[in-house]
Amino acid sequence: MTLTLALLALGCTQPDATPPHTPGFEDINFAVDGFVDIINRVDVLDAAQEETLGGAPLDLSTATDIFSLNITSDEIQALDDPLDTTDDVYSSLVVGVAAAGAVDLALAMRIGAMTNTLQTMQTAAINEYQAWQWSGSKSVTNDQGVTVTAQLNMAWVGTGWLVEVLQTTQDGQYDHTVWFNGYYQADGGLGWWDFYLNGGVEMTMEWLGDRGDGQVEMYWPTGDSEDDRMWYEWGADGSLLVKWSDSQPPPNAAEITMAQVDADQSGQGTLPSYNDSQTACWDANLENATCSTGSTTTGSTTTGSTTTGSTTP
């Protein structure tokens, strides 16, 4: 709902006479909860209660990177910055960096508009409509390249916020239509987002922690990327796993793009376009190493430091 331009003495925009939608438990899509196993939405909301007093609007400028959709493998991208990557001794690392970059690019193409929207909303005037409900609006470009009025609504439920972004266009294509919604725990420690297209959930994601010590998993149950899955995992010891399972038409198996870095900076990478998807490994000096047979990366859990394979680029 468009906010009026009249300014209050405190510099906020005047709230609309008709309050915006209040996110509630009935708006949570519990049906997609099972696609990602990081958290259980029913358990997370066990102590939550609608219309809870004592809350304040969520400050997007201090929200976690994962909630803000600032999800990248920059830590891996930086590994080869000081190196002469034309030297063949670093060719395995080059594969890993390229694999991580490919996952980042695929994700950015899919959720870039939503990421930009949350960034833009940091400058929106947020108005209070109830003691537990706040809303603000901004003009943004959605993921179809359409200019829309995005309305950010949030409701305090005692343990955190239910959050939603609705979109509206003048031609009526969108009229306060849910674009994405989710939950953000008060301590920033966990949450989820569901992204909608044509009334259904196109992508669902859940997370624990944040960059530096946390994990996020994303799954696409419908749309052009149906059955795709992505993982980002940061260990407190500096380790990082980035993985994309890119579904293919049956009977083909999914293509795996993966980069894993351990605490000592040794690691491995898998890129479908490289050597028939053979895994390339490097040691703590970032130089090529023979991949040992044994431990593997499994997506939501990383075990060991190497994966099955024997190729040394």
Side-chain angles (χ1 to χ4, degrees), residues 76-94 97 265 282-288:
I76 295 179
Q77 305 299 312
L79 284 178
D80 66 357
D81 287 350
L83 304 176
D84 178 7
T85 54
T86 63
D87 190 332
D88 287 343
V89 73
Y90 300 119
S91 59
S92 291
L93 178 64
V94 170
V97 171
Q265 294 197 327
W282 61 90
D283 61 21
N285 295 318
L286 306 180
E287 298 179 356
N288 297 345

Side-chain angles (χ1 to χ4, degrees), residues 5 25 28 30 44 51 72 86 93 102 128 138 141 157 160 187 189 196 198 241 250 253 263 294 301 308:
L5 298 179
F25 295 148
I28 299 172
F30 291 98
V44 167
E51 301 185 1
T72 68
T86 63
L93 178 64
E128 180 178 298
K138 279 284 187 178
T141 301
V157 293
D187 63 2
Y196 288 79
N198 299 325
L241 169 68
T301 303
T308 302

Side-chain angles (χ1 to χ4, degrees), residues 219-254:
Y219 178 73
W220 283 260
T222 61
D224 294 339
S225 302
E226 183 175 355
D227 210 29
D228 278 14
R229 194 178 296 272
M230 289 185 184
W231 300 262
Y232 284 74
E233 298 181 12
W234 296 266
D237 59 1
S239 58
L240 174 61
L241 169 68
V242 181
K243 185 176 178 182
W244 171 23
S245 175
D246 183 11
S247 63
Q248 302 296 309
N252 301 304

Side-chain angles (χ1 to χ4, degrees), residues 93-110:
L93 178 64
V94 170
V95 172
V97 171
V103 181
D104 286 359
L105 178 60
L107 180 60
M109 291 177 66
R110 299 177 187 192

Side-chain angles (χ1 to χ4, degrees), residues 100-306:
V103 181
D104 286 359
L105 178 60
L107 180 60
M109 291 177 66
R110 299 177 187 192
I111 68 169
M114 297 76 148
T115 305
N116 292 339
T117 295
L118 291 178
Q119 178 71 31
T120 301
M121 283 295 178
Q122 293 185 19
T123 61
I126 303 299
N127 297 294
E128 180 178 298
Y129 288 84
Q130 301 284 346
W132 55 82
Q133 176 196 10
W134 305 269
S135 179
S137 299
K138 279 284 187 178
S139 178
V140 301
T141 301
N142 71 6
D143 48 321
Q144 284 94 51
V146 178
T147 298
V148 302
T149 298
Q151 182 183 76
L152 171 69
N153 299 327
M154 59 186 84
W156 175 249
V157 293
T159 60
W161 296 267
L162 295 179
V163 186
E164 67 184 11
V165 176
L166 311 182
Q167 52 180 326
T168 299
T169 48
Q170 290 184 339
D171 63 5
Q173 178 184 3
Y174 299 104
D175 183 9
H176 296 89
T177 304
V178 178
W179 186 7
F180 51 107
N181 63 11
Y183 173 78
Y184 184 66
Q185 187 166 275
D187 63 2
L190 60 81
W192 69 78
W193 280 120
D194 292 327
F195 301 87
Y196 288 79
L197 182 65
N198 299 325
V201 175
E202 182 182 29
M203 189 267 269
T204 183
M205 64 174 272
E206 297 176 356
W207 77 87
L208 284 171
D210 199 15
R211 295 181 64 147
D213 188 10
Q215 59 179 312
V216 57
E217 182 176 341
M218 294 154 277
Y219 178 73
W220 283 260
T222 61
D224 294 339
S225 302
E226 183 175 355
D227 210 29
D228 278 14
R229 194 178 296 272
M230 289 185 184
W231 300 262
Y232 284 74
E233 298 181 12
W234 296 266
D237 59 1
S239 58
L240 174 61
L241 169 68
V242 181
K243 185 176 178 182
W244 171 23
S245 175
D246 183 11
S247 63
Q248 302 296 309
N252 301 304
E255 288 187 345
I256 302 300
T257 303
M258 180 273 298
Q260 177 188 337
V261 177
D262 295 326
D264 65 355
Q265 294 197 327
S266 63
Q268 57 186 300
T270 304
L271 195 61
S273 60
Y274 170 77
N275 203 16
D276 295 326
S277 291
Q278 287 294 306
T279 299
C281 299
W282 61 90
D283 61 21
N285 295 318
L286 306 180
E287 298 179 356
N288 297 345
T290 299
C291 299
S292 63
T293 301
S295 301
T296 59
T297 57
T298 60
S300 59
T301 303
T302 306
T303 57
S305 60
T306 55

